[in-house]
Amino acid sequence: MESQEQAGQARVRLPQLKLDELLEELQARLDAARGTRDRVHSLLEAVLSVGRELDLEQALNSIVEAAAALVDAQYAALGVIGPDGKRLSAFHTVGVSEEQIREIGPYPEGHGILGELIRHPQPLRLAKLSEHPASYGFPPHHPPMNTFLGVPIRVRDQVFGNLYLTEKGGGAQFDEEDESVLSTLAVAAGVAIDNARLYEESRLRERWLRANAEITHSLMSGAERGEALGLIARRAKDISGAVLAVVAMPVEDTDVLRVELATGKGAEAHRGLVLPVDDSLIGRAFSAGSSVTSTDISRDERVADSGDRFTGLGPAVAVPIGTGDGVRGVVLLAREQGRPVYAAKETEPLQGFAAQAAIAMELAERRRDAEEIAVLKDRDRIARDLHDLAIQRLFATGMTLQSAGRFIEHAEAGDRVARAVDDLDETIKIIRSTIFGLRARENGAGTGLRARVVRAAGEAAPVLGFAPSVRMEGLVDTDVPREVADHVIAVLSESLTNIARHAHAERADVALETDGSEVRLTVTDNGVGIPAEGRRSGLRNMAERAEQLGGELELSTPEGGGSRLVWRVPVPAEE
């Protein structure tokens, strides 16, 4: 009887044990399914979160944070591969504090395990980092890391960078599911990075277009060249992320460039520098008509005798303003050391911007030329009207007064009419001089005596320390022959040079007059006067010039001191 009861109890316990095991297995499967569901949900959330970012830096940070959360890693990093395809140009981390980063030192460039993923862009999972052949340890102050999972990120079939995860939570190992989840995230990350890049490129293109529009508007509104160059330099510096912008323009009839403008870090050391076209970074960009880059301008051999001008600067690019035979100058942009090198995708829009700026400068110059032509035409019309209308009426008035004078019996009234006729005659001479002055540009700018006198006085100003005053009366461009005009200019230059050397004057006045029969040059200063003893070779030369032409040289001391030189020679009477 007892044996039957015992057997019954055994039969009851056996099914109960199997049921418990089945329930435990079912619970485990339910937990696994729930975990898988939660992980898929987290992955979807991470993909959506990453995909919403349009700013590239924010997108990269979101990718690293999502990767660490999905595989439960203590440390995560995203390394961006540089343009050379061999090193990391940027590094984004999670799990390492700012203080730890400072203690560790510079970010890794892609050696060891990180380089292994660059050379072989395939998922890599390690139970212990130090056991891999490519591993050679960590720098001082680096936190200990053992478990490792790395996955490449591809953007349009090109490896953009790699995700690095270390130290799985709870001391566990990264498994195939972690690798699968991270690979899925990497695909979404590639799409997000591509979108962020396209958005960034569109915004950059928009900034270049706005800058071009601003420069064109400024130039077409009448801005001077220096103002336009400053605007070009500032906008190029800001948009390209440079800290220094230098603009160099060619010096006419020479093989050198002169720095006309510099803005940013150390700009003072660059202003006014003269650079050879054949042996300088800027010169090569000018002669080649294309951009020239430098990975480190502070050590570049093409920047000779730079001194401390480029201290603290690294990547640089020199871009011509214009293309082909129309290169007008060069803009040099330099970034701080440690910043990315100027890549082709940056230099192309920069060169396009500079070319558009050159076109705007060309259009502005053409517009100014057209405006000047319009002014000259207007001057010619005024001169023609003065000659055909005003002078003829004055002649007629003078002749009428002369005829009327014969019928005036009162002596004083007759004298007044005669003086009025003389005044009309002088007025006619002044108007005729004005007419020829208006037409001087039409007959060849700078070739007449009037323009040559003004130019000679202007060239003497730097030596004198002040600009001499200039006054001219009569038809100096038409009544004075070319050979006499050459003597006038020689005497004027010698006189101003003597004042600069010996007179210690603060003022000089130049007067050139002609009445059709004589030309008279008067140069006066308020200096110490002409000493009784001293070198007189210059004065003797001027006197000889006058004698050769049948004229004379007079020297005197005006009231208040100084000296007055009067050089006069006859000229053929006007027919």
Side-chain angles (χ1 to χ4, degrees):
M1 191 70 179
E2 290 181 357
S3 61
Q4 291 178 353
E5 291 179 357
Q6 290 175 351
Q9 291 175 355
R11 284 196 298 271
V12 171
R13 283 198 302 273
L14 185 59
Q16 184 67 38
L17 289 173
K18 290 182 179 180
L19 181 60
D20 289 342
E21 290 176 358
L22 289 173
L23 288 174
E24 287 177 1
E25 183 178 351
L26 178 61
Q27 184 63 43
R29 293 191 178 187
L30 288 172
D31 291 340
R34 189 180 296 110
T36 301
R37 183 200 64 186
D38 293 342
R39 196 164 197 184
V40 170
H41 182 69
S42 298
L43 177 60
L44 290 174
E45 285 186 345
V47 170
L48 291 174
S49 175
V50 168
R52 282 194 294 265
E53 293 291 348
L54 288 177
D55 182 83
L56 183 58
E57 292 297 313
Q58 290 294 335
L60 296 179
N61 290 329
S62 297
I63 292 168
V64 179
E65 293 171 357
L70 283 173
V71 299
D72 190 23
Q74 184 178 354
Y75 305 109
L78 192 158
V80 180
I81 300 175
D84 61 358
K86 299 177 181 180
R87 296 185 180 184
L88 300 178
S89 61
F91 212 71
H92 301 262
T93 62
V94 167
V96 184
S97 66
E98 292 293 331
E99 183 178 353
Q100 286 178 306
I101 292 173
R102 285 193 297 270
E103 291 178 348
I104 295 170
Y107 282 118
E109 296 183 354
H111 304 293
I113 295 295
L114 305 187
E116 184 71 15
L117 271 171
I118 295 174
R119 292 185 294 273
H120 306 287
Q122 300 292 333
L124 179 63
R125 185 157 39 97
L126 302 173
K128 197 170 183 62
L129 266 170
S130 58
E131 294 178 355
H132 193 277
S135 175
Y136 56 78
F138 296 103
H141 308 291
H142 197 285
M145 296 180 180
N146 292 298
T147 54
F148 176 85
L149 175 59
V151 174
I153 298 176
R154 286 181 169 83
V155 177
R156 296 188 180 185
D157 298 327
Q158 182 180 2
V159 179
F160 172 83
N162 295 297
L163 277 171
Y164 310 109
L165 287 301
T166 60
E167 294 301 287
K168 177 140 178 109
Q173 301 288 327
F174 292 109
D175 54 24
E176 292 183 3
E177 188 175 344
D178 293 328
E179 182 179 320
S180 177
V181 168
L182 203 60
S183 297
T184 304
L185 178 65
V187 173
V191 176
I193 291 168
D194 192 29
N195 290 337
R197 274 180 163 180
L198 292 174
Y199 178 70
E200 190 176 72
E201 288 174 4
S202 67
R203 289 184 61 190
L204 190 62
R205 193 179 303 112
E206 182 183 358
R207 292 185 68 186
W208 285 123
L209 290 173
R210 282 203 306 267
N212 267 321
E214 184 180 4
I215 290 167
T216 302
H217 175 74
S218 175
L219 284 167
M220 300 307 287
S221 299
E224 296 296 330
R225 187 181 75 162
E227 183 180 345
L229 292 178
L231 192 58
I232 291 171
R234 290 193 299 274
R235 294 296 175 267
K237 179 174 76 70
D238 295 341
I239 297 175
S240 67
V243 294
L244 172 68
V246 173
V247 177
M249 306 296 286
V251 179
E252 191 175 359
D253 298 329
T254 66
D255 291 330
V256 298
L257 300 166
R258 190 175 72 88
V259 176
E260 290 199 8
L261 185 141
T263 179
K265 185 176 181 180
E268 286 291 339
H270 297 269
R271 294 182 185 129
L273 287 176
V274 175
L275 307 170
V277 171
D278 298 330
D279 191 26
S280 66
L281 185 70
I282 290 178
R284 293 186 184 186
F286 178 81
S287 58
S290 59
S291 59
V292 179
T293 58
S294 173
T295 57
D296 187 355
I297 195 168
S298 64
R299 295 186 177 91
D300 199 309
E301 295 179 354
R302 295 169 293 182
V303 184
D305 301 326
S306 63
D308 297 330
R309 287 187 287 121
F310 294 108
T311 300
L313 301 180
V317 61
V319 179
I321 302 175
T323 56
D325 296 333
V327 177
R328 293 174 165 268
V330 177
V331 57
L332 172 73
L333 301 169
R335 290 171 172 165
E336 290 183 323
Q337 283 185 350
R339 296 285 295 160
V341 176
Y342 282 96
K345 67 176 183 179
E346 293 179 287
T347 58
E348 287 175 4
L350 179 58
Q351 191 159 350
F353 164 76
Q356 289 294 325
I359 293 173
M361 294 172 70
E362 180 76 16
L363 289 175
E365 288 180 3
R366 292 287 182 267
R367 179 179 176 180
R368 282 193 288 270
D369 290 343
E371 291 173 350
E372 187 173 355
I373 290 173
V375 170
L376 292 176
K377 288 182 178 179
D378 199 41
R379 286 158 65 106
D380 186 55
R381 179 188 61 78
I382 294 171
R384 187 170 57 251
D385 290 346
L386 285 173
H387 183 272
D388 296 344
L389 300 176
I391 288 181
Q392 300 305 321
R393 297 197 64 172
L394 288 173
F395 266 126
T397 303
M399 292 177 67
T400 301
L401 287 174
Q402 281 180 327
S403 298
R406 291 196 296 269
F407 299 102
I408 298 175
E409 296 180 356
H410 194 283
E412 186 176 350
D415 291 338
R416 289 187 178 182
V417 171
R419 286 197 298 270
V421 172
D422 291 339
D423 288 342
L424 285 174
D425 189 44
E426 288 298 321
T427 302
I428 290 171
K429 290 180 180 180
I430 293 172
I431 293 175
R432 292 185 68 187
S433 178
T434 303
I435 290 171
F436 281 100
L438 288 170
R439 289 177 171 173
R441 292 293 295 274
E442 179 186 358
N443 297 329
T447 60
L449 179 57
R450 183 184 300 269
R452 294 174 68 188
V453 168
V454 172
R455 187 160 58 247
E459 291 172 352
V463 182
L464 290 167
F466 56 86
S469 68
V470 178
R471 178 176 60 86
M472 284 176 275
E473 294 182 10
L475 307 178
V476 297
D477 283 338
T478 55
D479 287 347
V480 182
R482 177 74 183 189
E483 59 273 13
V484 177
D486 291 341
H487 286 286
V488 170
I489 295 300
V491 171
L492 175 60
S493 300
E494 182 69 25
S495 301
L496 294 176
T497 301
N498 287 341
I499 293 173
R501 289 178 178 175
H502 310 297
H504 305 290
E506 297 177 352
R507 177 182 173 83
D509 301 306
V510 176
L512 181 64
E513 304 162 283
T514 182
D515 57 3
S517 61
E518 179 186 74
V519 60
R520 183 171 57 258
L521 174 66
T522 305
V523 182
T524 308
D525 68 78
N526 65 347
V528 297
I530 300 174
E533 297 179 358
R535 295 182 61 185
R536 300 235 170 189
S537 57
L539 295 174
R540 186 165 55 252
N541 290 337
M542 288 186 273
E544 289 176 356
R545 287 179 182 274
E547 292 171 1
Q548 289 173 7
L549 300 173
E552 61 180 350
L553 172 70
E554 297 177 2
L555 299 173
S556 61
T557 301
E559 295 182 6
S563 62
R564 177 185 290 116
L565 179 148
V566 180
W567 188 88
R568 55 164 59 100
V569 297
V571 295
E574 182 181 5
E575 295 183 359

